[in-house]
Each structure stands twice: as structure tokens, then as C-alpha cells.
Amino acid sequence: MSASLQLIDIAEGGQRIFIESDLLFSSVIAVREAAEKAISDAQADCVIDFSRVNQADSSALSFCLCCMRLAKRLNKTLAFECLPADMASISDLVGLDHFSSNQAESGY
């Protein structure tokens, strides 16, 4: 399955990464690989925008943690915006409530 992302350059070499597919067990690996490439290729900090995601399951949290670890290794700041309600609920349930604030510190 091919990942569906739209990359938009933002100020100062950063990048806004729009996820344009559901984040489910069946699709998350391809989306993660594409997002990690976008984060690696970005010249500065990144924002991952979930406003175009209709469904997300617990694999979306793994996606976020993987992206955060990569950003930390690359000394980049990574922010999350417009989390789907089901993803925010799952993150709160498992104690990762900082995703609900729509900002991550790349600390994992």
C-alpha cells in the first residue's frame, strides 16, 4: 500500500506534513516510512497535521512515537496538530496525554 502524504514547505526550511490516509494497522507502516523520510529530508522543524485523517487506531500512537524518536535523533522539533478525536482518546487512556495538547517535544 502506498502512503498518502502531502508535504508543504513552511517558513525557514521547515515542513508541514499532512497525513492523507487513515492510520490503521493495515496502513501505518507505509505512512510511517513516508513521514520519516519527510522528517529526515526537512531542513528544519516539522509539523505533522492530522486534519485529513478520518480514522486512527492505537497504531497511530506508535506512529507518533517513532516520528518523535527520529526527530530527537535529528535534533529537530516535531509538533502534532489536529489529532483525530479517537486518537486523542486512546492517548489519554494509555497515559500519553501530551499528544492531546497537539504539541510533542520529541523526547522519546
Side-chain angles (χ1 to χ4, degrees):
M1 170 181 280
S2 65
S4 185
L5 302 177
Q6 180 181 8
L7 308 178
I8 305 293
D9 291 329
I10 55 177
E12 300 176 15
Q15 202 163 47
R16 179 170 294 272
I17 303 166
F18 286 95
I19 308 298
E20 295 191 320
S21 66
D22 292 337
L23 284 172
L24 304 171
F25 288 108
S26 60
S27 64
V28 74
I29 291 174
V31 176
R32 189 195 80 218
E33 289 171 351
E36 287 177 339
K37 180 174 180 359
I39 292 166
S40 295
D41 291 347
Q43 298 300 310
D45 301 331
C46 298
V47 174
I48 297 181
D49 188 314
F50 293 88
S51 62
R52 300 174 186 175
V53 174
N54 294 317
Q55 275 187 296
D57 61 22
S58 60
S59 66
L61 298 180
S62 174
F63 166 84
C64 290
L65 292 170
C66 289
C67 291
M68 289 171 64
R69 281 190 295 266
L70 175 62
K72 182 178 181 179
R73 280 196 313 270
L74 298 173
N75 294 316
K76 295 178 182 177
T77 299
L78 178 66
F80 300 112
E81 292 184 356
C82 303
L83 293 177
D86 47 355
M87 187 175 163
S89 295
I90 295 168
S91 69
D92 289 342
L93 180 68
V94 297
L96 294 172
D97 56 342
H98 64 279
F99 289 132
S100 299
S101 69
N102 294 334
Q103 180 76 25
E105 293 183 8
S106 304
Y108 289 84

